[in-house]
Amino acid sequence: MTDNKLSAEYDIVIAGGGLVGGSFALLLERLAGGSALRVLLLDAAPVQNPENNAGAADFDARSTALSWGSRLIYEQAGLWPALASDVTAIRDIHVSDRGHFGATRLHSEQMGVDALGYVAENRHLGRVLQQALRDSKQLTVCAPASVEHVQPLSDGAMLTIKGASLEKIKTRLLVLADGGRSGLCQQLGIAVQQKHYGQQALICNIAFANDHQGQAFERFTDTGPLAVLPLADHRTGRERQHRGALVWTLADTNNINAKGEQEQYSAERIMALPDAEFIDALQQRFGWRLGRITQAGARSLFPLSLTVAREQIRPGIVLLGNSAHTLHPVAGQGLNLALRDARALAGLIVTAHKGDRSPGSMEVLQAFLAAQSGDQSKTIAFSDLTTRLFSNSQPALAMGRNLGLLMMDLMPPAKGWFARQAMGMADRRSARL
Ligand SMILES: Cc1cc2nc3c(=O)[nH]c(=O)nc-3n(C[C@H](O)[C@H](O)[C@H](O)COP(=O)(O)OP(=O)(O)OC[C@H]3O[C@@H](n4cnc5c(N)ncnc54)[C@H](O)[C@@H]3O)c2cc1C
């Protein structure tokens, strides 16, 4: 975008301008204030014009659940006013187990907050980030342009860029925010630890008869956990449909269940059902909390795995977002965790810069790991545990989780713990920053 302004050297180069790289750049700009931190953001994909992206409401639009903690981070980045105009607040979370007695409800008032979280359509999030990046006076954004090669140096890294006016750019810190299949990590020999759940997430938007009133539902079923997040009503002319985003975790086709049989409700089978049969299968599992399910939009499948990089820092290099950890989407923690990492890293970089220290020094990067590794391991363990516990139909585990849900409803501290994890506030005492 501002290719003609490219310099041969930067303090920070961010490789990847997705939700994480873009948010990190804007946080850095806000926290740095007027200090002369030279930041370049590169993305391999062309930048979308925010105005071209503002089209009519799309029933099938994809969305992300932002925690209350992420709202606070976007407030800090100065982006919340623009985001708030088009998000749906989650006032209650209803957690239940199909065919069993345990259930619990988490209410925003009990947690002392306006909302437990928010559902944002991805294109709205992207639009707000793109607009802020376009308006930025301090950040240099260049797209489409990709980092093709990284040569580590004693004081940073030398990058080979494709698609920009300069082919070689030196940086004191390279932030790898290039996503879950990071080619740059592979090139640097950064190994990953990967666990496949043998499951896929079926994603689609659905319409139902009743107003969701800001309720999100997490329901554990014989086929796997199923979440419905509240979305804004979809309007076409005079017609108005109550809408929600479905994330249904289903076993892979070839999975063999505890009885030694092939899974009857595998992801691919449910995916291939005609609409009416799909709605029927879903209604049987979700129940009638929102009345009749009247429509299901375009379905897509995402294979589920947990991927964590074995190294997150090297001198002059740090990993952020999906390149550092790609989580199971059901617990809705991936972007939320990455935003907390991004804020911690941005804060440490700005402090180092003000103290005339290099942002790529191991002292700064180790301080980042020390600050975030507890949050990362807790969040990863939380989403891994909920996935394994709640997608297992073995009687002992089913009994355990039902007792867990019942206990959570009876014991406010346990419920508070669960809510704080889900809100991205596990390490904070107050709901405010
Ligand atoms: C179905 C589903 C539902 C989810 N729901 C939630 C949720 O409710 N809440 C939540 O918190 N999280 C959720 N997540 C997780 C969340 O979507 C991810 O954590 C987040 O999108 C990761 O963003 P990223 O910027 O790290 O990666 P990406 O979005 O993959 O962005 C990487 C960017 O890097 C660019 N790039 C790649 N290589 C290069 C290169 N060499 N040079 C320059 N640029 C490059 C790409 O063009 C891309 O723009 C969900 C995930 C899925 C799959």
Side-chain angles (χ1 to χ4, degrees):
M1 260 181 357
T2 47
D3 197 25
N4 53 341
K5 289 190 201 144
L6 280 191
S7 314
E9 201 170 329
Y10 284 88
D11 293 311
I12 295 156
V13 171
I14 306 164
L19 293 180
V20 175
S23 303
F24 172 68
L26 292 161
L27 263 169
L28 204 51
E29 178 186 41
R30 183 50 83 106
L31 296 183
S35 71
L37 197 58
R38 298 162 307 162
V39 182
L40 169 65
L41 175 72
L42 296 162
D43 198 283
V47 173
Q48 306 284 324
N49 183 340
E51 279 134 41
N52 295 346
N53 207 8
D58 168 12
F59 183 90
D60 290 324
R62 291 286 165 256
S63 53
T64 297
L66 295 175
S67 65
W68 175 262
S70 293
R71 170 197 165 141
L72 299 182
I73 292 172
Y74 278 130
E75 272 178 9
Q76 221 176 8
L79 298 169
W80 187 249
L83 282 173
S85 66
D86 224 347
V87 294
T88 306
I90 303 174
R91 310 260 178 231
D92 294 306
I93 302 179
H94 183 275
V95 188
S96 62
D97 203 342
R98 179 178 179 258
H100 299 277
F101 52 86
T104 194
R105 278 197 164 82
L106 309 167
H107 299 284
S108 50
E109 308 98 74
Q110 282 172 345
M111 298 303 296
V113 290
D114 303 337
L116 293 166
Y118 300 87
V119 187
E121 287 189 4
N122 290 357
R123 66 176 188 160
H124 172 58
L125 253 176
R127 195 161 56 219
V128 169
L129 292 178
Q130 293 299 342
Q131 190 61 58
L133 289 169
R134 278 178 165 239
D135 294 345
S136 166
K137 301 268 180 302
Q138 281 183 25
L139 303 167
T140 307
V141 182
C142 186
S146 59
V147 178
E148 294 288 295
H149 186 260
V150 181
Q151 182 195 346
L153 304 173
S154 58
D155 58 345
M158 180 61 79
L159 312 177
T160 307
I161 315 291
K162 188 176 158 196
S165 56
L166 278 183
E167 201 196 339
K168 295 277 180 194
I169 290 179
K170 192 187 161 197
T171 182
R172 296 167 90 196
L173 175 64
L174 170 65
V175 179
L176 292 178
D178 57 337
R181 291 191 198 109
S182 171
L184 296 172
C185 283
Q186 276 180 28
Q187 196 187 100
L188 288 162
I190 297 176
V192 293
Q193 205 175 350
Q194 199 164 37
K195 177 164 153 184
H196 294 281
Y197 291 98
Q199 294 171 329
Q200 305 195 44
L202 187 155
I203 312 284
C204 78
N205 289 346
I206 54 173
F208 25 78
N210 301 345
D211 187 349
H212 51 63
Q213 298 178 322
Q215 293 179 92
F217 296 88
E218 180 92 49
R219 187 153 169 79
F220 301 102
T221 76
D222 55 338
T223 59
L226 184 159
V228 176
L229 299 172
L231 285 177
D233 285 352
H234 183 249
R235 291 159 201 254
T236 32
R238 280 198 202 155
E239 226 183 282
R240 191 181 166 134
Q241 286 170 294
H242 301 307
R243 211 171 41 128
L246 170 75
V247 184
W248 189 356
T249 305
L250 293 154
D252 280 343
T253 319
N254 52 5
N255 258 18
I256 302 297
N257 65 22
K259 293 182 203 149
E261 303 155 344
Q262 188 133 9
E263 289 291 351
Q264 201 194 346
Y265 289 105
S266 67
E268 269 148 39
R269 228 188 118 200
I270 296 265
M271 183 75 183
L273 288 177
D275 276 0
E277 285 175 47
F278 173 77
I279 290 175
D280 206 38
L282 178 62
Q283 186 95 60
Q284 276 180 40
R285 274 153 193 90
F286 182 65
W288 294 83
R289 285 168 183 78
L290 292 171
R292 179 172 295 284
I293 298 168
T294 53
Q295 190 181 330
R299 296 168 232 165
S300 40
L301 281 180
F302 292 83
L304 299 183
S305 61
L306 168 68
T307 309
V308 183
R310 289 190 188 270
E311 289 170 271
Q312 267 183 57
I313 57 169
R314 281 187 185 177
I317 297 173
V318 62
L319 277 54
L320 212 56
N322 272 10
S323 72
H325 34 64
T326 306
L327 310 188
H328 188 305
V330 166
Q333 303 277 329
L335 179 62
N336 292 308
L337 173 61
L339 288 175
R340 298 197 293 277
D341 287 347
R343 188 198 43 195
L345 182 62
L348 286 160
I349 287 174
V350 169
T351 309
H353 182 67
K354 288 181 181 156
D356 223 12
R357 284 176 294 135
S358 169
S361 72
M362 279 310 265
E363 185 200 350
V364 173
L365 301 181
Q366 267 159 355
F368 162 65
L369 263 199
Q372 281 307 106
S373 59
D375 183 9
Q376 288 183 7
S377 357
K378 269 193 235 158
T379 308
I380 290 169
F382 174 73
S383 55
D384 181 45
L385 188 89
T386 42
T387 306
R388 282 189 295 123
L389 187 63
F390 289 103
S391 57
N392 198 313
S393 55
Q394 282 177 23
L397 282 171
M399 171 73 93
R401 70 176 178 247
N402 283 303
L403 285 175
L405 289 178
L406 202 63
M407 294 269 288
M408 269 209 290
D409 221 32
L410 298 175
M411 288 172 53
K415 193 165 163 176
W417 174 86
F418 186 85
R420 292 181 82 77
Q421 289 289 337
M423 288 166 68
M425 308 286 304
D427 289 330
R428 290 196 208 119
R429 297 186 92 69
S430 147
R432 294 265 157 211
L433 271 181

